[in-house]
Every structure is written in C-alpha cells, then in structure tokens.
Coordinates of all heavy atoms in Angstrom, one line a residue:
M97 N 45.4 28.1 -6.3 CA 46.1 26.8 -6.2 C 45.3 25.8 -5.5 O 45.2 24.6 -6.0 CB 47.5 27.1 -5.5 CG 48.4 25.9 -5.4 SD 49.2 25.6 -6.9 CE 50.8 25.7 -6.5
F98 N 44.9 26.1 -4.3 CA 44.1 25.2 -3.5 C 42.8 24.8 -4.3 O 42.3 23.7 -4.3 CB 43.8 25.8 -2.1 CG 42.9 24.9 -1.3 CD1 43.4 23.7 -0.7 CD2 41.6 25.3 -1.1 CE1 42.6 22.9 0.0 CE2 40.7 24.4 -0.3 CZ 41.2 23.3 0.3
L99 N 42.1 25.8 -4.8 CA 40.9 25.6 -5.6 C 41.1 24.7 -6.8 O 40.3 23.8 -7.1 CB 40.3 27.0 -6.0 CG 39.0 26.9 -6.7 CD1 37.9 26.3 -5.8 CD2 38.5 28.3 -7.1
A100 N 42.2 24.8 -7.4 CA 42.5 24.0 -8.6 C 42.7 22.5 -8.1 O 42.3 21.6 -8.8 CB 43.8 24.5 -9.3
A101 N 43.4 22.3 -7.0 CA 43.6 21.0 -6.4 C 42.2 20.3 -6.0 O 42.0 19.1 -6.3 CB 44.5 21.0 -5.2
V102 N 41.3 21.1 -5.4 CA 40.0 20.6 -5.0 C 39.2 20.3 -6.3 O 38.6 19.2 -6.4 CB 39.3 21.6 -4.2 CG1 37.8 21.2 -4.0 CG2 40.0 21.8 -2.8
T103 N 39.3 21.1 -7.3 CA 38.5 20.9 -8.5 C 39.0 19.6 -9.2 O 38.2 18.8 -9.7 CB 38.6 22.1 -9.5 OG1 38.3 23.3 -8.7 CG2 37.7 22.0 -10.6
D104 N 40.3 19.4 -9.3 CA 40.9 18.2 -9.9 C 40.5 17.0 -9.1 O 40.2 15.9 -9.7 CB 42.4 18.3 -9.9 CG 42.9 19.3 -11.0 OD1 42.1 19.6 -11.9 OD2 44.1 19.8 -10.9
T105 N 40.5 17.0 -7.8 CA 40.1 15.9 -7.0 C 38.6 15.5 -7.2 O 38.2 14.4 -7.3 CB 40.3 16.2 -5.5 OG1 41.7 16.5 -5.3 CG2 40.0 15.0 -4.6
L106 N 37.8 16.6 -7.2 CA 36.3 16.3 -7.4 C 36.0 15.8 -8.8 O 35.1 15.1 -9.0 CB 35.5 17.6 -7.1 CG 35.5 18.0 -5.6 CD1 34.7 19.3 -5.5 CD2 34.8 16.9 -4.8
A107 N 36.8 16.2 -9.7 CA 36.6 15.7 -11.1 C 36.9 14.3 -11.3 O 36.4 13.6 -12.2 CB 37.5 16.6 -12.1
Q108 N 37.7 13.7 -10.4 CA 38.1 12.3 -10.5 C 37.1 11.4 -9.8 O 37.1 10.2 -10.1 CB 39.5 12.1 -9.8 CG 40.6 12.7 -10.6 CD 41.9 12.6 -9.8 OE1 42.0 12.0 -8.8 NE2 42.9 13.2 -10.4
I109 N 36.2 11.9 -9.0 CA 35.2 11.1 -8.4 C 34.1 10.8 -9.4 O 33.5 11.7 -10.0 CB 34.5 11.9 -7.1 CG1 35.6 12.1 -6.1 CG2 33.4 11.1 -6.6 CD1 35.2 13.0 -4.9
G110 N 33.8 9.5 -9.6 CA 32.8 9.1 -10.5 C 31.4 9.2 -10.0 O 31.1 9.5 -8.8
N111 N 30.4 9.0 -10.9 CA 29.0 9.1 -10.5 C 28.6 7.7 -10.1 O 28.6 6.8 -10.9 CB 28.2 9.6 -11.7 CG 26.8 9.8 -11.2 OD1 26.4 9.8 -10.1 ND2 25.9 10.1 -12.2
P112 N 28.3 7.4 -8.8 CA 28.0 6.1 -8.4 C 26.7 5.6 -8.9 O 25.7 6.4 -9.0 CB 28.0 6.2 -6.8 CG 27.7 7.6 -6.6 CD 28.3 8.4 -7.7
T113 N 26.6 4.3 -9.2 CA 25.3 3.8 -9.7 C 24.5 3.3 -8.4 O 25.1 2.7 -7.5 CB 25.5 2.6 -10.6 OG1 26.3 1.6 -10.0 CG2 26.2 3.1 -11.9
P114 N 23.2 3.5 -8.4 CA 22.4 3.1 -7.3 C 22.3 1.6 -7.3 O 22.2 0.9 -8.3 CB 21.1 3.8 -7.5 CG 21.0 4.1 -8.9 CD 22.4 4.3 -9.4
E115 N 22.3 1.0 -6.1 CA 22.1 -0.5 -6.0 C 21.1 -0.7 -4.8 O 21.1 0.1 -3.9 CB 23.4 -1.2 -5.8 CG 24.1 -1.0 -4.5 CD 25.4 -1.8 -4.4 OE1 26.3 -1.6 -5.3 OE2 25.4 -2.7 -3.6
A116 N 20.4 -1.8 -4.9 CA 19.4 -2.1 -3.9 C 20.1 -2.6 -2.6 O 21.1 -3.2 -2.6 CB 18.5 -3.2 -4.4
P117 N 19.4 -2.3 -1.5 CA 19.9 -2.8 -0.2 C 20.0 -4.3 -0.1 O 19.3 -5.0 -0.9 CB 19.0 -2.3 0.9 CG 18.1 -1.3 0.2 CD 18.2 -1.5 -1.3
P118 N 20.7 -4.9 0.8 CA 20.8 -6.4 0.8 C 19.5 -7.2 0.9 O 19.4 -8.2 0.3 CB 21.7 -6.6 2.0 CG 22.4 -5.4 2.3 CD 21.5 -4.3 1.8
L119 N 18.6 -6.7 1.7 CA 17.3 -7.5 1.9 C 16.1 -6.9 1.2 O 15.0 -7.2 1.5 CB 17.0 -7.5 3.4 CG 18.0 -8.2 4.3 CD1 17.6 -8.0 5.8 CD2 18.1 -9.7 4.0
S120 N 16.4 -6.2 0.1 CA 15.3 -5.6 -0.6 C 14.3 -6.6 -1.2 O 13.1 -6.3 -1.3 CB 15.8 -4.6 -1.7 OG 16.5 -5.3 -2.7
N121 N 14.8 -7.7 -1.7 CA 13.9 -8.7 -2.3 C 12.9 -9.2 -1.3 O 11.8 -9.4 -1.6 CB 14.7 -9.8 -2.9 CG 15.5 -9.4 -4.2 OD1 15.0 -8.4 -4.8 ND2 16.6 -10.1 -4.5
K122 N 13.4 -9.5 -0.1 CA 12.5 -10.0 1.0 C 11.5 -9.0 1.4 O 10.4 -9.3 1.6 CB 13.4 -10.4 2.2 CG 14.4 -11.5 1.9 CD 13.7 -12.8 1.7 CE 14.7 -13.9 1.6 NZ 14.2 -15.2 1.3
I123 N 11.9 -7.7 1.4 CA 11.0 -6.7 1.8 C 9.9 -6.5 0.8 O 8.7 -6.3 1.1 CB 11.8 -5.3 2.1 CG1 12.7 -5.5 3.3 CG2 10.8 -4.2 2.2 CD1 13.6 -4.3 3.5
L124 N 10.3 -6.5 -0.5 CA 9.3 -6.4 -1.6 C 8.4 -7.6 -1.6 O 7.2 -7.4 -1.8 CB 10.0 -6.3 -2.9 CG 10.7 -5.0 -3.2 CD1 11.5 -5.0 -4.5 CD2 9.7 -3.8 -3.2
Q125 N 8.9 -8.8 -1.3 CA 8.0 -10.0 -1.2 C 7.0 -9.8 0.0 O 5.8 -10.1 -0.1 CB 8.8 -11.2 -1.0 CG 8.0 -12.5 -1.0 CD 8.9 -13.7 -0.9 OE1 10.1 -13.6 -0.5 NE2 8.3 -14.9 -1.2
L126 N 7.5 -9.3 1.1 CA 6.6 -9.0 2.3 C 5.5 -8.0 1.9 O 4.3 -8.2 2.3 CB 7.4 -8.6 3.5 CG 6.6 -8.2 4.7 CD1 6.0 -9.4 5.3 CD2 7.5 -7.6 5.7
V127 N 5.9 -6.9 1.2 CA 4.9 -5.9 0.8 C 3.9 -6.5 -0.1 O 2.7 -6.2 0.0 CB 5.7 -4.7 0.2 CG1 4.7 -3.8 -0.5 CG2 6.5 -4.0 1.2
S128 N 4.3 -7.4 -1.0 CA 3.3 -8.0 -1.9 C 2.4 -8.9 -1.2 O 1.2 -8.9 -1.5 CB 4.0 -8.7 -3.1 OG 4.7 -9.8 -2.6
Y129 N 2.9 -9.6 -0.2 CA 2.0 -10.5 0.6 C 1.0 -9.6 1.4 O -0.2 -9.9 1.5 CB 2.8 -11.3 1.6 CG 3.6 -12.5 1.0 CD1 4.6 -13.0 1.7 CD2 3.2 -13.0 -0.2 CE1 5.3 -14.1 1.1 CE2 3.9 -14.0 -0.8 CZ 5.0 -14.6 -0.1 OH 5.7 -15.6 -0.7
L130 N 1.5 -8.5 2.0 CA 0.6 -7.6 2.7 C -0.5 -7.0 1.8 O -1.6 -6.8 2.2 CB 1.4 -6.5 3.4 CG 2.2 -7.0 4.6 CD1 3.1 -5.8 5.1 CD2 1.4 -7.5 5.7
T131 N -0.1 -6.7 0.6 CA -1.0 -6.1 -0.4 C -2.1 -7.1 -0.7 O -3.3 -6.8 -0.7 CB -0.3 -5.7 -1.7 OG1 0.7 -4.8 -1.4 CG2 -1.3 -5.1 -2.7
W132 N -1.8 -8.4 -0.9 CA -2.8 -9.4 -1.2 C -3.7 -9.6 0.1 O -4.9 -9.8 -0.1 CB -2.1 -10.7 -1.6 CG -1.8 -10.8 -3.0 CD1 -0.6 -10.7 -3.6 CD2 -2.8 -10.9 -4.1 NE1 -0.7 -10.7 -5.0 CE2 -2.0 -10.9 -5.3 CE3 -4.1 -11.1 -4.1 CZ2 -2.7 -11.0 -6.5 CZ3 -4.8 -11.2 -5.4 CH2 -4.0 -11.1 -6.5
F133 N -3.1 -9.6 1.3 CA -3.9 -9.8 2.5 C -4.9 -8.6 2.6 O -6.0 -8.8 3.0 CB -3.0 -9.8 3.7 CG -3.7 -9.9 5.0 CD1 -4.3 -11.1 5.4 CD2 -3.8 -8.8 5.8 CE1 -5.1 -11.2 6.6 CE2 -4.5 -8.9 7.0 CZ -5.1 -10.1 7.4
I134 N -4.5 -7.4 2.4 CA -5.3 -6.3 2.5 C -6.5 -6.4 1.5 O -7.6 -6.1 1.8 CB -4.6 -4.9 2.3 CG1 -3.7 -4.7 3.5 CG2 -5.5 -3.8 2.1 CD1 -2.7 -3.6 3.4
L135 N -6.2 -6.7 0.2 CA -7.2 -6.9 -0.8 C -8.2 -8.0 -0.4 O -9.4 -7.9 -0.6 CB -6.6 -7.1 -2.2 CG -5.8 -6.0 -2.8 CD1 -5.2 -6.4 -4.1 CD2 -6.7 -4.8 -3.0
L136 N -7.7 -9.1 0.1 CA -8.5 -10.2 0.5 C -9.4 -9.8 1.7 O -10.6 -10.2 1.7 CB -7.7 -11.4 0.8 CG -8.4 -12.7 1.3 CD1 -9.3 -13.2 0.1 CD2 -7.4 -13.8 1.7
S137 N -8.9 -9.1 2.6 CA -9.7 -8.7 3.8 C -10.7 -7.7 3.3 O -11.8 -7.7 3.9 CB -8.8 -8.1 4.9 OG -8.1 -7.0 4.4
G138 N -10.4 -6.9 2.3 CA -11.4 -5.9 1.8 C -12.6 -6.7 1.1 O -13.8 -6.3 1.3
I139 N -12.3 -7.7 0.4 CA -13.3 -8.5 -0.3 C -14.2 -9.2 0.7 O -15.4 -9.2 0.6 CB -12.7 -9.5 -1.3 CG1 -12.1 -8.7 -2.5 CG2 -13.7 -10.5 -1.8 CD1 -11.2 -9.6 -3.4
I140 N -13.5 -9.7 1.8 CA -14.3 -10.4 2.8 C -15.2 -9.4 3.6 O -16.3 -9.7 3.9 CB -13.3 -11.1 3.8 CG1 -12.7 -12.3 3.1 CG2 -14.0 -11.6 5.0 CD1 -11.6 -13.0 3.8
A141 N -14.7 -8.2 3.8 CA -15.4 -7.2 4.5 C -16.7 -6.8 3.7 O -17.8 -6.6 4.3 CB -14.6 -6.0 4.8
I142 N -16.5 -6.6 2.4 CA -17.6 -6.2 1.6 C -18.6 -7.4 1.5 O -19.9 -7.1 1.6 CB -17.2 -5.8 0.2 CG1 -16.4 -4.5 0.3 CG2 -18.3 -5.7 -0.8 CD1 -15.8 -4.0 -1.0
T143 N -18.2 -8.6 1.5 CA -19.1 -9.7 1.4 C -19.9 -9.9 2.7 O -21.1 -10.1 2.7 CB -18.3 -11.0 1.2 OG1 -17.6 -10.9 0.0 CG2 -19.2 -12.2 1.0
V144 N -19.2 -9.7 3.9 CA -19.9 -9.8 5.2 C -20.9 -8.6 5.3 O -22.0 -8.8 5.8 CB -18.8 -9.8 6.3 CG1 -19.5 -9.5 7.7 CG2 -18.0 -11.1 6.3
A145 N -20.5 -7.4 4.9 CA -21.4 -6.3 5.0 C -22.6 -6.5 4.1 O -23.7 -6.1 4.5 CB -20.6 -5.0 4.6
G146 N -22.4 -7.1 2.9 CA -23.5 -7.3 2.0 C -24.5 -8.4 2.6 O -25.7 -8.2 2.6
G147 N -23.9 -9.4 3.3 CA -24.8 -10.4 4.0 C -25.5 -9.8 5.1 O -26.7 -10.0 5.3
K148 N -24.8 -8.9 5.9 CA -25.5 -8.2 7.0 C -26.6 -7.3 6.5 O -27.6 -7.2 7.1 CB -24.5 -7.5 7.8 CG -25.0 -6.9 9.1 CD -24.0 -6.3 10.0 CE -24.7 -5.7 11.2 NZ -23.8 -5.0 12.1
F149 N -26.3 -6.6 5.4 CA -27.3 -5.7 4.7 C -28.5 -6.5 4.4 O -29.7 -6.1 4.6 CB -26.7 -5.1 3.5 CG -27.6 -4.1 2.8 CD1 -27.9 -2.9 3.4 CD2 -28.1 -4.4 1.6 CE1 -28.7 -2.0 2.8 CE2 -28.9 -3.5 0.9 CZ -29.2 -2.3 1.5
A150 N -28.4 -7.7 3.8 CA -29.5 -8.5 3.4 C -30.3 -9.0 4.6 O -31.5 -9.0 4.6 CB -29.1 -9.7 2.6
W151 N -29.5 -9.4 5.7 CA -30.2 -9.8 6.9 C -31.0 -8.7 7.5 O -32.1 -8.9 8.0 CB -29.1 -10.3 7.9 CG -29.7 -10.8 9.2 CD1 -29.7 -10.2 10.4 CD2 -30.4 -12.0 9.4 NE1 -30.3 -10.9 11.3 CE2 -30.8 -12.1 10.7 CE3 -30.8 -13.1 8.6 CZ2 -31.5 -13.1 11.3 CZ3 -31.5 -14.1 9.1 CH2 -31.9 -14.1 10.5
E152 N -30.4 -7.5 7.6 CA -31.1 -6.3 8.2 C -32.4 -6.0 7.4 O -33.4 -5.6 7.9 CB -30.2 -5.1 8.3 CG -29.1 -5.3 9.3 CD -28.1 -4.2 9.3 OE1 -28.1 -3.3 8.4 OE2 -27.2 -4.2 10.2
K153 N -32.3 -6.1 6.1 CA -33.4 -5.8 5.2 C -34.5 -6.8 5.4 O -35.7 -6.5 5.5 CB -33.0 -5.7 3.8 CG -34.0 -5.3 2.8 CD -33.5 -4.1 2.0 CE -34.5 -3.8 0.9 NZ -35.1 -2.5 1.2
W154 N -34.1 -8.1 5.6 CA -35.1 -9.2 5.7 C -35.8 -9.2 7.0 O -37.0 -9.4 7.1 CB -34.4 -10.5 5.5 CG -35.3 -11.7 5.4 CD1 -36.3 -11.9 4.5 CD2 -35.3 -12.8 6.3 NE1 -36.9 -13.1 4.8 CE2 -36.3 -13.7 5.9 CE3 -34.5 -13.2 7.4 CZ2 -36.5 -14.9 6.5 CZ3 -34.7 -14.4 8.0 CH2 -35.7 -15.2 7.5
T155 N -35.0 -8.8 8.1 CA -35.6 -8.8 9.5 C -36.2 -7.5 9.8 O -37.0 -7.4 10.7 CB -34.6 -9.1 10.5 OG1 -33.5 -8.2 10.5 CG2 -34.0 -10.5 10.3
G156 N -36.0 -6.5 9.0 CA -36.6 -5.1 9.3 C -35.9 -4.4 10.4 O -36.4 -3.4 10.9
S157 N -34.7 -4.8 10.8 CA -34.0 -4.0 11.9 C -33.3 -2.8 11.3 O -33.4 -2.5 10.1 CB -33.0 -5.0 12.5 OG -32.0 -5.4 11.6
S158 N -32.6 -2.1 12.2 CA -32.0 -0.8 11.8 C -30.9 -1.1 10.7 O -30.2 -2.1 10.8 CB -31.4 -0.1 13.0 OG -30.3 -0.9 13.5
M159 N -30.7 -0.2 9.8 CA -29.8 -0.3 8.7 C -28.4 0.3 9.1 O -28.2 1.5 8.9 CB -30.3 0.3 7.5 CG -31.6 -0.3 7.0 SD -31.5 -1.9 6.5 CE -31.0 -1.7 4.8
E160 N -27.5 -0.5 9.6 CA -26.2 -0.1 9.9 C -25.1 -0.5 8.8 O -24.0 0.0 8.8 CB -25.7 -0.5 11.3 CG -26.6 0.0 12.4 CD -26.1 -0.5 13.7 OE1 -25.1 -1.2 13.8 OE2 -26.8 -0.3 14.7
S161 N -25.5 -1.5 8.1 CA -24.6 -2.1 7.1 C -24.2 -1.3 6.0 O -23.1 -1.4 5.4 CB -25.1 -3.5 6.6 OG -26.3 -3.3 6.1
P162 N -25.0 -0.3 5.5 CA -24.5 0.5 4.4 C -23.3 1.3 4.8 O -22.4 1.6 4.0 CB -25.7 1.5 4.1 CG -26.9 0.7 4.5 CD -26.5 -0.1 5.7
K163 N -23.1 1.7 6.1 CA -21.9 2.3 6.6 C -20.7 1.4 6.5 O -19.6 1.8 6.1 CB -22.1 2.8 8.0 CG -23.1 3.8 8.2 CD -23.3 4.1 9.7 CE -24.5 4.9 10.0 NZ -24.8 5.1 11.4
M164 N -21.0 0.1 6.8 CA -19.9 -0.9 6.7 C -19.5 -1.1 5.2 O -18.3 -1.2 4.9 CB -20.4 -2.3 7.2 CG -20.6 -2.3 8.7 SD -21.3 -3.8 9.3 CE -20.0 -5.0 8.8
V165 N -20.4 -1.1 4.3 CA -20.1 -1.3 2.9 C -19.3 -0.1 2.4 O -18.3 -0.2 1.7 CB -21.4 -1.5 2.0 CG1 -21.0 -1.5 0.6 CG2 -22.0 -2.8 2.4
A166 N -19.8 1.1 2.8 CA -19.1 2.3 2.4 C -17.6 2.4 2.9 O -16.7 2.7 2.3 CB -19.8 3.6 2.8
G167 N -17.5 2.0 4.2 CA -16.2 2.0 4.8 C -15.2 1.0 4.2 O -14.1 1.3 4.0
A168 N -15.8 -0.2 3.9 CA -14.9 -1.2 3.2 C -14.5 -0.7 1.8 O -13.4 -1.0 1.4 CB -15.7 -2.5 3.2
M169 N -15.4 -0.1 1.1 CA -15.1 0.4 -0.2 C -14.1 1.5 -0.2 O -13.1 1.5 -1.0 CB -16.3 0.8 -1.0 CG -17.2 -0.4 -1.3 SD -18.7 0.0 -2.1 CE -18.0 0.1 -3.8
I170 N -14.2 2.4 0.8 CA -13.3 3.5 0.9 C -11.9 3.0 1.3 O -10.8 3.4 0.8 CB -13.8 4.6 1.9 CG1 -15.0 5.3 1.3 CG2 -12.7 5.6 2.3 CD1 -15.7 6.2 2.2
G171 N -11.9 2.0 2.3 CA -10.6 1.4 2.7 C -10.0 0.7 1.5 O -8.7 0.7 1.4
G172 N -10.7 0.0 0.7 CA -10.2 -0.6 -0.5 C -9.6 0.3 -1.5 O -8.5 0.1 -2.1
V173 N -10.2 1.5 -1.7 CA -9.7 2.5 -2.6 C -8.4 3.0 -2.1 O -7.4 3.2 -2.8 CB -10.7 3.6 -2.8 CG1 -10.1 4.8 -3.5 CG2 -11.9 3.1 -3.6
V174 N -8.3 3.3 -0.8 CA -7.1 3.8 -0.2 C -6.0 2.8 -0.2 O -4.8 3.1 -0.5 CB -7.4 4.3 1.3 CG1 -6.1 4.6 2.0 CG2 -8.3 5.5 1.3
A175 N -6.3 1.5 0.1 CA -5.3 0.5 0.1 C -4.8 0.2 -1.3 O -3.5 0.0 -1.5 CB -5.9 -0.8 0.6
T176 N -5.6 0.2 -2.3 CA -5.1 0.0 -3.7 C -4.4 1.2 -4.3 O -3.5 1.0 -5.2 CB -6.2 -0.5 -4.6 OG1 -7.3 0.5 -4.6 CG2 -6.8 -1.8 -4.2
S177 N -4.7 2.4 -3.8 CA -4.1 3.5 -4.4 C -2.8 4.0 -3.6 O -2.2 4.9 -4.0 CB -5.0 4.7 -4.5 OG -5.5 5.1 -3.2
A178 N -2.5 3.3 -2.5 CA -1.4 3.7 -1.7 C -0.1 3.6 -2.4 O 0.8 4.5 -2.3 CB -1.3 2.8 -0.4
G179 N 0.1 2.6 -3.2 CA 1.3 2.4 -4.0 C 1.5 3.6 -5.1 O 2.5 4.1 -5.2
T180 N 0.4 3.9 -5.7 CA 0.4 5.0 -6.7 C 0.7 6.3 -6.0 O 1.5 7.1 -6.5 CB -1.0 5.1 -7.4 OG1 -1.3 3.8 -7.9 CG2 -0.9 6.1 -8.5
I181 N 0.1 6.5 -4.8 CA 0.3 7.8 -4.1 C 1.8 7.9 -3.7 O 2.5 8.9 -3.8 CB -0.6 7.9 -2.9 CG1 -2.0 8.1 -3.3 CG2 -0.2 9.0 -2.0 CD1 -3.1 7.9 -2.2
M182 N 2.4 6.8 -3.2 CA 3.8 6.8 -2.8 C 4.7 7.0 -4.0 O 5.7 7.7 -3.9 CB 4.1 5.5 -2.1 CG 3.5 5.3 -0.7 SD 4.0 6.7 0.4 CE 5.7 6.4 0.6
N183 N 4.4 6.4 -5.1 CA 5.2 6.6 -6.3 C 5.2 8.1 -6.8 O 6.2 8.6 -7.2 CB 4.8 5.7 -7.4 CG 5.3 4.3 -7.2 OD1 6.3 4.0 -6.6 ND2 4.6 3.3 -7.9
A184 N 4.0 8.7 -6.7 CA 3.9 10.1 -7.1 C 4.6 11.0 -6.1 O 5.2 12.0 -6.6 CB 2.4 10.5 -7.1
M185 N 4.7 10.6 -4.8 CA 5.4 11.4 -3.9 C 6.9 11.3 -4.0 O 7.6 12.3 -3.8 CB 5.0 11.1 -2.5 CG 3.6 11.5 -2.1 SD 3.0 11.0 -0.5 CE 4.2 11.8 0.6
L186 N 7.4 10.1 -4.4 CA 8.8 9.9 -4.6 C 9.2 10.4 -5.9 O 10.3 10.8 -6.2 CB 9.1 8.4 -4.3 CG 8.9 7.9 -2.9 CD1 9.2 6.4 -2.9 CD2 9.8 8.7 -1.9

C-alpha cells in the first residue's frame, strides 16, 4: 500500500528542463574576454621572444630565448585546448 502511494507520487513528478543560472551570460562574456587576453599575451610573448632571439644571435650572447619561445608556444597550446579538454571532461 505504502509502496503504491510512493510510486504514484513519483510518477507525477515531471522531468525538469535545465536552465542557465541568472548571471551566465556575463560569466560567458568574461570567459571570452579572458580567452582573447590569453591569446593576445601569447602572441606578444612569442614576438618578444623572437626579437630577443634575434638580438642574442646578433650580439653573440648566450641563447636563452629558445626556451622562451618554447614556453610561449606550449602555454598557447594549453590555453587554446583548455576549452576542449573541459568539454571532454564534462
């Protein structure tokens, strides 16, 4: 008897449709701004490292800039693939 009453009650509960939180548009806009900032800073980092690489080559000093170029490129790959990685995890 009790089980039938519980089953009838649960059968009346509908399947709720998901809806976005109240500030989700602002958060998505902030994330897109941060993405553009990260990409812009990566381009600037690669440009600066390339200039430093040319300067080191021209003056004959120690070559530290290839590490900077590699770091900037790895950082760019991680930054651009972060969204894909998060979508795959979710």
Side-chain angles (χ1 to χ4, degrees):
M97 181 79 118
F98 177 73
L99 186 59
V102 170
T103 310
D104 289 340
T105 304
L106 289 177
Q108 294 174 3
I109 297 174
N111 190 9
T113 58
E115 69 179 64
L119 295 175
S120 64
N121 291 334
K122 299 287 185 186
I123 293 171
L124 289 175
Q125 186 177 16
L126 177 66
V127 168
S128 68
Y129 287 160
L130 290 174
T131 302
W132 275 106
F133 177 74
I134 289 169
L135 293 176
L136 181 64
S137 64
I139 290 169
I140 291 171
I142 289 174
T143 304
V144 168
K148 187 174 179 185
F149 182 69
W151 180 257
E152 289 174 354
K153 185 125 174 116
W154 187 59
T155 60
S157 61
S158 66
M159 300 294 274
E160 296 178 9
S161 57
K163 295 176 194 173
M164 290 174 61
V165 172
M169 293 180 83
I170 290 171
V173 167
V174 169
T176 55
S177 63
T180 307
I181 292 170
M182 289 304 292
N183 283 336
M185 290 175 63
L186 293 176

